[in-house]
Amino acid sequence: MRFVKALPIALAAAPAVVSAAGTLGFALGTKKPDGSCKSQSDYEADFDVLKSQSTIVRGYAASDCDFAQNILPAAKSKGFKVILGIWPDTDDSFHADKDAITKSYPQYQDQVYAVTVGSESLYRGNFTGDELLEKIKDVKGSLPDVKVGTADSWNKYQDGTADPVIKGSDIILANAFSYWQGQDIKNGSASFFDDIMQALGHVQGINKDVEFWVGETGWPTGGSSYEAAKPGVKEAEQFWKEGICGMKAWGVNTFAFEAFDEPWKPVSTGQNGKVADETHWGVWNADRTSKGGGNDNDDAGTSILTKYTWGGPKIA
Ligand SMILES: *[C@@H]1O[C@H](CO)[C@@H](O)[C@H](O)[C@H]1NC(C)=O
Ligand SMILES: CC(=O)N[C@H]1CO[C@H](CO)[C@@H](O)[C@@H]1O
């Protein structure tokens, strides 16, 4: 996959940039609806639902709820691959997650697709690019056969903050939420494409060999609205088709945030001081049923996951 230029202005008229479609994956939480930790069999049940769409998921902190230990055997039995995460912000979390991965890796080499060190740690201002690179190098030293990189907000790649990390990584995941940029759904996919093209253009200028994924994107079906961005099943369905499937059709690997609703999540307070309820971002309900009363194979229904055949993003 290679984009020669990433000019927003060119998007509306741009043809598919590559011939091969990207890969679709899902961000997956570690907890059951009641907030207790998922077990191996819970992940197996998750995979049974996800397998109609994908065979790869990503997690965050590998030691949280013994994520690596529980998900890898489930992934092996169901034919999935997993991107495991390390939370580097404190020494304790860094070592706990790294140890969880190095312990499980020998037995599950075929299931570990890659390791991300940090999730939006540059965006939060927790590290400089050089500091994060040191953590990535440390992990690469312990896992020489694994692709290692980071996940961060698209603008931290676009604005140069991540340059040292881009140079020293095998894999880069860029998160972009038109929703949290306050976009109306009408402009949701255009705004998303614009973000990703800016990030990708910069990333490829720094390291043309690095593997690039959208690390998180999505649209909630309920919960808090944000400026012009409103939640809803119809809106989420539109973003699924135009944004997520459109990005994939363009040849960019994309993780949907997220597989299942997480009703256990506490409310958080956004940068504007407003309380945000982030419990309705799942493509499926927390109990793994389809949203909106449709079913996943019903093109006219109200399910988020409509079947479609589509040549590329429609931006105008
Ligand atoms: C739509 O998104 C584009 C790209 O992010 C942005 O430049 C533009 O201002 C947005 N339009 C509206 C009406 O917000
Ligand atoms: C510089 C900075 O913001 N450091 C913070 C990184 O994150 C940890 C825990 O999340 C904080 O304890 C640090 O203060």
Side-chain angles (χ1 to χ4, degrees), residues 4 82 88 96 111 181 186 193 213-214 230 232 234 249 260 292 304:
V4 178
V82 184
Q111 280 67 55
Q181 292 170 243
K186 291 196 200 81
F193 271 79
W213 288 71
V214 172
K230 303 279 182 287
K234 278 209 142 42
F260 305 101
I304 290 179

Side-chain angles (χ1 to χ4, degrees), residues 60-136:
Y60 296 86
S63 65
D64 173 41
C65 280
D66 294 324
F67 182 70
Q69 191 186 321
N70 289 326
I71 199 170
L72 290 172
K76 187 166 190 167
S77 76
K78 299 293 179 179
F80 270 71
K81 290 188 187 294
V82 184
I83 296 185
L84 295 168
I86 292 177
W87 191 257
D89 298 33
T90 71
D91 280 347
D92 283 352
S93 62
F94 178 80
H95 289 294
D97 291 339
K98 190 178 126 181
D99 290 352
I101 296 172
T102 52
K103 202 169 134 212
S104 296
Y105 179 69
Q107 208 186 335
Y108 296 104
Q109 298 185 17
D110 291 343
Q111 280 67 55
V112 178
Y113 184 81
V115 171
T116 52
V117 184
S119 175
E120 301 191 345
S121 65
L122 299 175
Y123 176 75
R124 285 194 308 277
N126 215 281
F127 297 113
T128 64
D130 285 314
E131 286 166 352
L132 183 56
L133 178 61
E134 286 309 308
K135 307 272 179 194
I136 289 170

